[in-house]
Amino acid sequence: MRAALYARYSAGPRQTDQSIEGQIRECTDYCKKKGFTIVATYADRHISGKTDERPEFQKLIADSRKNKFDVVVVYKTDRFARNKYDSAIYKRQLRQNGVQIFYAAEAIPDGPEGIILESLMEGLAEYYSAELAQKIRRGMHESALKCRVLGNTMPLGYRASKEHTYEIDPENAKAVEIIFDMYVDRQPNADICRRLNELGFKTSRGNPFNKNSISRIIQNEMYIGIYEAVGVRVENGVPALIPKETFYLAQKERERRKVSKKERAGVAEYMLSGKLFCGYCKKPMAGVSGTGKGGGKFYYYQCPTVRQKGNCQKEHVRRDFIEDLIVQKTVEHVLQPDILTDIAQRLCRLQSESDTREQDIAYYRKKLQENKKAMDNIIKAIEKGLAAETLLQRLDGLESEKIAIEGELAYFQSLKFGLSEEEMLFFLRQFLEPDNDWQAYKRRIINSFINQVFLYNDHFLVYYNIQKDGAMDFSNIELNEGSGFDELSLSSTCGKVLKYSLYTGV
């Protein structure tokens, strides 16, 4: 199989290619063991996994649609994303593009149960990522009060002064002025990008401009002199680049465009896409929309054989109804205390310890020692009267670097023993608490627990990510028609068959 490797790190200023090289080495060894052929490598440097605004990551997703590889190999789950929402969205895109994802340094088993374990590992990564963010914010609070530059990405039009504060970069400031002037003039983002690229301007990352670049710049209050970082907000904390009148006109234009977008129909989401199959011809049911006599929009799943006027008796079914019904039955029959305990125990048996965590810890401990040695040498030089401005700047940079290294070290130390049964159970129990957003809750349940659903006209079978064999049989479903669309109502279930099928694979 053709494999693409993806690596990422988000450590301090001196955490450069060594971390990337280590991840690539582990992923390469993993591919050799699996017999994969590496055809591409993608690596994002100094970018957090909490955001999906990663150039190489987005290139990876785009290339997956072009059938350039069959699998993606990542060092660990947190390298792919530390945000569960982004992780679910992009894994679904990879799955729809026929691409599987593997982890080189985490023992996530193949098969349905591995999906649940992966979901728990992502939850843990997001939890520790939030904790790490709090630690870094505390450490950088003092620097923010002085309106100093934090991080490695500089907003377009600014540069760092010798005192590590923001100052205007005259060359790129012109690009920002062009963006605001054209935007206020109601010119499309595509035209603005075309103009900037023709003039040879680049984004703050050195890339050509795209429509997303324009949107981010338009909303950045730094251009009117507001410094904001790690909870600190200072008016006139940086030199203003754009007049306030122009900035607020741009915000009004942004709201106007937002309303226009809402008026256009959005792309409908079908959560069971790729998981819902016709029970008769076994083909994946497709999400289809239609307009009723009253002009209302309806969404439903339809068998492709029927849609092509083939020989199949399956009726179409309302999207929201079948999704709600499956989630409801999952909550009633799977998300029960005794079953969750059993799942946690089995996942613990499947999870094996990985020696690479010790290597990560050793790596960051070594970097911390190097950081301390460098800081001690500067302090000694200062004590001898060599308090040059460059030494003070270097010391300030080392202090920021220390905070980032300590954060990464704390993260890997926290993962030293993997997930215990109690931790597994804790994260599994989170599924018992519905979100205020029902759509988000449905998405969580379907992505984590539903493997396949085979839908008939009078019943459906659900294969869960609990055991490779066996399905829950929801029988005696009656079919009612309303407004030209199917409406199913569940009259009864076979409780004994459900439990028997789940554990015996019958």
Side-chain angles (χ1 to χ4, degrees):
M1 299 180 76
R2 299 168 300 163
L5 309 186
Y6 176 73
R8 176 194 65 79
Y9 74 91
S10 57
R14 290 172 62 88
Q15 308 306 302
T16 55
D17 291 333
Q18 293 186 56
S19 176
I20 293 291
E21 290 172 356
Q23 294 177 47
I24 296 297
R25 183 176 59 254
E26 294 291 334
C27 291
T28 300
D29 291 343
Y30 181 85
C31 288
K32 289 180 180 177
K33 294 176 183 177
K34 288 281 188 178
F36 297 159
T37 301
I38 299 173
V39 296
T41 300
Y42 305 81
D44 283 307
R45 294 164 171 80
H46 278 293
I47 303 178
S48 170
K50 293 177 67 177
T51 176
D52 63 348
E53 295 177 5
R54 293 172 267 157
E56 287 289 288
F57 180 78
Q58 291 297 337
K59 184 180 178 183
L60 167 77
I61 300 300
D63 286 349
S64 73
R65 292 191 287 269
K66 300 175 184 177
N67 193 31
K68 290 190 174 183
F69 42 81
D70 306 302
V71 300
V72 172
V73 179
V74 186
Y75 181 55
K76 293 182 178 179
T77 53
D78 66 323
R79 298 300 92 184
F80 187 80
R82 285 190 186 176
N83 178 301
K84 287 187 70 176
Y85 179 78
D86 286 346
S87 180
I89 292 296
Y90 287 109
K91 282 178 184 174
R92 182 180 180 185
Q93 287 189 26
L94 289 176
R95 186 169 61 248
Q96 289 177 334
N97 297 334
V99 177
Q100 293 179 274
I101 185 167
F102 294 90
Y103 304 98
E106 282 181 331
I108 296 178
D110 295 333
E113 287 174 317
I115 297 174
I116 299 178
L117 179 57
E118 184 179 345
S119 178
L120 300 189
M121 296 298 289
E122 288 167 1
L124 189 64
E126 185 173 14
Y127 170 79
Y128 283 116
S129 179
E131 188 177 55
L132 168 62
Q134 291 179 359
K135 176 179 284 189
I136 292 176
R137 285 193 182 94
R138 287 195 298 269
M140 292 185 166
H141 189 73
E142 289 301 320
S143 293
L145 290 175
K146 299 174 184 176
C147 297
R148 289 188 172 182
V149 175
L150 301 178
N152 301 290
T153 302
M154 189 69 60
L156 184 69
Y158 288 98
R159 64 190 179 192
S161 68
K162 294 181 179 179
E163 293 76 28
H164 282 270
T165 56
Y166 289 96
E167 66 179 18
I168 293 177
D169 176 8
E171 182 178 349
N172 289 315
K174 183 61 178 175
V176 178
E177 294 171 357
I178 292 173
I179 290 171
F180 274 90
D181 289 343
M182 293 183 69
Y183 194 88
V184 170
D185 198 35
R186 294 193 173 185
Q187 297 191 43
N189 285 7
D191 290 350
I192 300 175
C193 292
R194 191 178 303 110
R195 178 60 176 163
L196 293 170
N197 292 330
E198 287 174 351
L199 293 173
F201 288 110
K202 300 291 184 182
T203 67
S204 57
R205 295 185 182 276
N207 300 319
F209 281 89
N210 58 49
K211 290 185 286 186
N212 291 333
S213 308
I214 304 302
S215 299
R216 287 193 295 271
I217 289 173
I218 288 298
Q219 299 177 65
N220 193 345
E221 290 184 310
M222 180 175 286
Y223 293 118
I224 55 174
I226 297 176
Y227 176 95
E228 188 167 9
V230 294
V232 175
R233 182 181 174 89
V234 181
E235 299 282 345
N236 301 317
V238 297
L241 204 158
I242 296 295
K244 289 185 177 180
E245 295 78 8
T246 301
F247 183 84
Y248 292 128
L249 284 173
Q251 304 317 300
K252 288 184 179 180
E253 172 63 11
R254 187 170 67 88
E255 289 300 319
R256 185 192 69 81
R257 298 187 186 192
K258 189 185 299 183
V259 171
S260 298
K261 280 186 178 181
K262 286 182 178 178
E263 292 174 353
R264 297 195 296 267
V267 178
E269 180 181 13
Y270 295 88
M271 297 182 191
L272 288 170
S273 177
K275 298 189 177 191
L276 184 66
F277 296 84
C278 171
Y280 301 103
C281 67
K282 311 305 179 187
K283 292 184 179 180
M285 297 186 69
V288 184
S289 63
T291 304
K293 294 180 179 178
K297 199 77 172 180
F298 295 92
Y299 304 93
Y300 55 99
Y301 290 96
Q302 186 176 39
C303 171
T305 303
V306 174
R307 186 171 179 78
Q308 296 169 8
K309 303 187 184 303
N311 184 24
C312 185
Q313 57 181 303
K314 181 70 196 81
E315 301 288 344
H316 49 249
V317 60
R318 285 183 183 272
R319 177 196 64 183
D320 291 341
F321 174 78
I322 192 63
E323 290 177 353
D324 290 350
L325 180 61
I326 288 172
V327 169
Q328 173 194 341
K329 294 306 165 186
T330 299
V331 172
E332 291 177 3
H333 297 282
V334 176
L335 301 187
Q336 297 300 314
D338 57 334
I339 297 180
L340 292 183
T341 299
D342 180 70
I343 294 174
Q345 291 172 349
R346 279 189 281 158
L347 291 178
C348 279
R349 290 195 295 267
L350 288 170
Q351 179 184 256
S352 62
E353 292 298 329
S354 172
D355 294 333
T356 56
R357 288 192 179 91
E358 293 298 332
Q359 296 174 11
D360 291 326
I361 291 172
Y363 171 77
Y364 284 107
R365 279 178 175 167
K366 180 181 177 182
K367 300 305 294 183
L368 198 59
Q369 290 174 355
E370 293 174 356
N371 175 274
K372 183 178 184 303
K373 183 177 179 180
M375 291 180 67
D376 289 343
N377 289 338
I378 292 177
I379 292 172
K380 288 178 182 178
I382 294 174
E383 289 174 345
K384 291 179 180 179
L386 303 176
E389 183 64 26
T390 54
L391 288 178
L392 295 174
Q393 292 176 9
R394 176 66 183 137
L395 184 62
D396 186 56
L398 287 170
E399 288 175 349
S400 297
E401 178 184 328
K402 178 186 176 184
I403 293 170
I405 296 173
E406 288 177 337
E408 288 292 315
L409 179 60
Y411 171 70
F412 285 110
Q413 285 176 328
S414 68
L415 297 180
K416 183 175 181 180
F417 299 105
L419 287 174
S420 66
E421 182 179 329
E422 291 74 19
E423 289 171 328
M424 293 266 195
L425 198 53
F426 170 79
F427 283 104
L428 284 170
R429 284 172 177 163
Q430 305 311 302
F431 290 101
L432 298 175
E433 302 176 7
D435 300 334
N436 292 330
D437 185 345
W438 172 244
Q439 291 297 107
Y441 182 67
K442 282 201 305 183
R443 191 182 298 111
R444 285 175 58 204
I445 298 297
I446 291 173
N447 288 343
S448 297
F449 290 94
I450 307 301
N451 188 278
Q452 291 181 327
V453 179
F454 287 88
L455 184 62
Y456 299 81
N457 288 334
D458 58 352
H459 73 286
F460 60 90
L461 303 175
V462 182
Y463 289 82
Y464 290 101
N465 292 320
I466 296 174
Q467 193 170 341
K468 291 183 179 179
D469 303 318
M472 285 191 173
D473 185 353
F474 294 88
S475 302
N476 300 327
I477 295 179
E478 296 178 356
L479 178 63
N480 296 320
E481 293 189 10
S483 303
F485 295 89
D486 291 348
E487 290 186 357
L488 304 180
S489 60
L490 186 67
S491 58
S492 65
T493 60
C494 302
K496 293 182 180 179
V497 174
L498 295 177
K499 188 172 183 182
Y500 186 68
S501 296
L502 175 64
Y503 290 105
T504 67
V506 173

